[in-house]
Amino acid sequence: MATAMEADAMRRAITLAARGLGSTSPNPVVGCVILDAAGHTVGEGWHQQAGGPHAEIHALHAAGGRARGGTALVTLEPCNHTGRTGPCSQALIEAGIARVVYAVADPNPAATGGAVTLSAAGVEVEGGLLTDEAAGGNEAWLTSVRLRRPFVLWKYASTLDGRIAAADGTSRWISSPESRADVHRLRAEADAVLVGSGTLRADDPQLAVRGVPADVTVPVTVTQPLRVVVDTNATVKPGARVLDDAAPTLIAVAEDADTAHLPEDVVVRLPRAEGGLSVPALLAALCERDVRSVLLEGGPTLAGAFVRAGAVDKVVGYLAPALLGAGPAALRDAGITTIAQALRLDVAEVERIGPDVRITAYTRREET
């Protein structure tokens, strides 16, 4: 059984792993702490960017010879395959690590088996320490592996009576500067930011990450997410801000849409569906582009399409202490016609953000 000292080290590894959010995709975020034979921390590391050394390699490099006979605490089962880097299980064996404790078993068929390799080499292995905490920090990657589509976080801001704009269409600004800054943190952690053509016409958003300070929850160097516009009939204008060079862009259009006014390399053609484009086809196209997490920032119609398709995993709502009494609601056309069909959520966190309240909740679904 893991000791209290090992549990503390795993908590530290989970904190370290979060530093890779937004920069490791399509790989998971992973943290590692090395304890020497006496239980002292001698090395720490986290996976910093895709294609670079994994967390275990950074931690082993920091520990040097002090790793021999020690224990490695890792948030994800050490990998067992050679890709752009070598297998971490073999690196731990060669460093003389005597014990490995990991939080989450690797569900990726291409990389799993590290625990077996370690055990076969005589290394003591234990899994399942602080699994829920570690899995929470890796929720996007784990969801993408298990469901074979990107993890979708729907973000919206509304008044207390659920309005995202006034009756005349004005919406700037419902939420506070603090909430808007927090949205840029969410963008920095996502692989893609997604809006619909209605939001594009109304706001002409740039959708790039701006003004995010470096801390333990976002990468020091922000990797700009892919900007995705769901624009069934290709109505986006050539001068739209989303087409600037601040970040890469993808315009999702219908298979029969006229895109002569757009650069062909930013266009993806998808089948039509009720009210727009096929959400499953869109997510599949993004997954093929190594997108593992999507921040859905679109308006109520696009959000409704994703809810109707069962493709929302997490909801973050910013509630401003204001009332409008009229204007569009945050969600519509979600295919819900009776209270028995309501999409029930599990609230994970309620927190003050400036004058606003941020509610974080997860949809309930059966494990697949």
Side-chain angles (χ1 to χ4, degrees):
M1 293 291 291
T3 66
M5 185 180 300
E6 289 174 340
D8 288 342
M10 184 64 82
R11 291 187 185 93
R12 173 60 179 167
I14 293 170
T15 299
L16 290 169
R19 296 185 179 183
L21 285 170
S23 62
T24 65
S25 189
N27 298 339
V29 294
V30 182
C32 178
V33 172
I34 304 292
L35 304 178
D36 66 13
H40 303 123
T41 298
V42 293
E44 295 184 341
W46 69 95
H47 186 32
Q48 299 176 15
Q49 62 181 13
H54 290 186
E56 296 94 321
I57 306 306
H58 284 296
L60 288 172
H61 179 75
R66 295 172 295 176
R68 186 163 297 278
T71 299
L73 288 301
V74 194
T75 58
L76 185 68
E77 178 186 0
C79 67
N80 196 46
H81 78 300
T82 299
R84 285 182 284 184
T85 61
C88 292
S89 54
Q90 191 60 41
L92 291 164
I93 293 168
E94 293 173 357
I97 288 290
R99 174 171 160 80
V100 171
V101 181
Y102 64 88
V104 179
D106 194 334
N108 184 358
T112 192
V116 174
T117 296
L118 288 163
S119 295
V123 178
E124 181 183 351
V125 179
E126 179 178 339
L129 177 61
L130 302 183
T131 298
D132 291 344
E133 293 92 328
N138 233 350
E139 61 188 6
W141 183 81
L142 288 169
T143 297
S144 71
V145 172
R146 291 166 179 163
L147 300 183
R148 296 177 294 282
R149 66 155 175 81
F151 177 89
V152 177
L153 189 166
W154 172 41
K155 180 278 305 179
Y156 72 93
S158 76
T159 59
L160 285 183
D161 57 340
R163 308 294 177 174
I164 62 169
D168 65 356
T170 55
S171 60
R172 294 188 176 183
W173 293 103
I174 283 178
S175 60
S176 66
E178 294 88 346
S179 290
R180 298 197 298 275
D182 194 58
V183 170
H184 281 277
R185 176 186 62 83
L186 296 181
R187 287 183 183 177
E189 294 177 355
D191 294 341
V193 177
L194 196 152
V195 300
S197 56
T199 297
L200 198 70
R201 288 191 296 271
D203 300 333
D204 189 24
Q206 187 190 46
L207 300 180
V209 177
R210 302 183 301 275
V212 179
D215 60 25
V216 297
T217 63
V218 296
V220 174
T221 301
V222 171
T223 300
Q224 290 290 350
L226 175 68
R227 300 175 293 186
V228 181
V229 180
V230 179
D231 186 18
T232 305
N233 297 310
T235 61
V236 60
K237 303 298 183 184
R241 296 175 69 211
V242 77
L243 294 174
D244 66 19
D245 60 0
T249 300
L250 188 68
I251 310 295
V253 304
E255 292 167 325
D256 57 350
D258 180 4
T259 59
H261 60 294
L262 294 173
E264 196 59 32
D265 62 348
V266 305
V267 172
V268 60
R269 296 183 179 276
L270 301 173
R272 290 181 182 268
E274 179 184 355
L277 299 178
S278 166
V279 171
L282 172 61
L283 292 176
L286 293 177
C287 195
E288 289 176 0
R289 289 165 171 78
D290 282 341
V291 170
R292 298 292 177 259
S293 61
V294 170
L295 176 62
L296 176 60
E297 291 198 38
T301 300
L302 187 62
F306 270 74
V307 170
R308 189 166 59 248
V312 173
D313 302 292
K314 184 177 181 179
V315 179
V316 174
Y318 298 88
L319 304 184
L323 301 172
L324 284 173
L331 182 69
R332 67 168 177 253
D333 302 328
I336 299 170
T337 58
T338 179
I339 193 67
Q341 298 174 332
L343 178 61
R344 300 292 180 177
L345 308 176
D346 292 319
V347 174
E349 183 182 62
V350 178
E351 186 173 343
R352 286 286 297 269
I353 302 289
D356 304 332
V357 174
R358 182 185 67 198
I359 299 178
T360 302
Y362 291 86
T363 57
R364 301 174 185 174
R365 64 164 44 87
E366 296 296 327
E367 289 292 330
T368 59

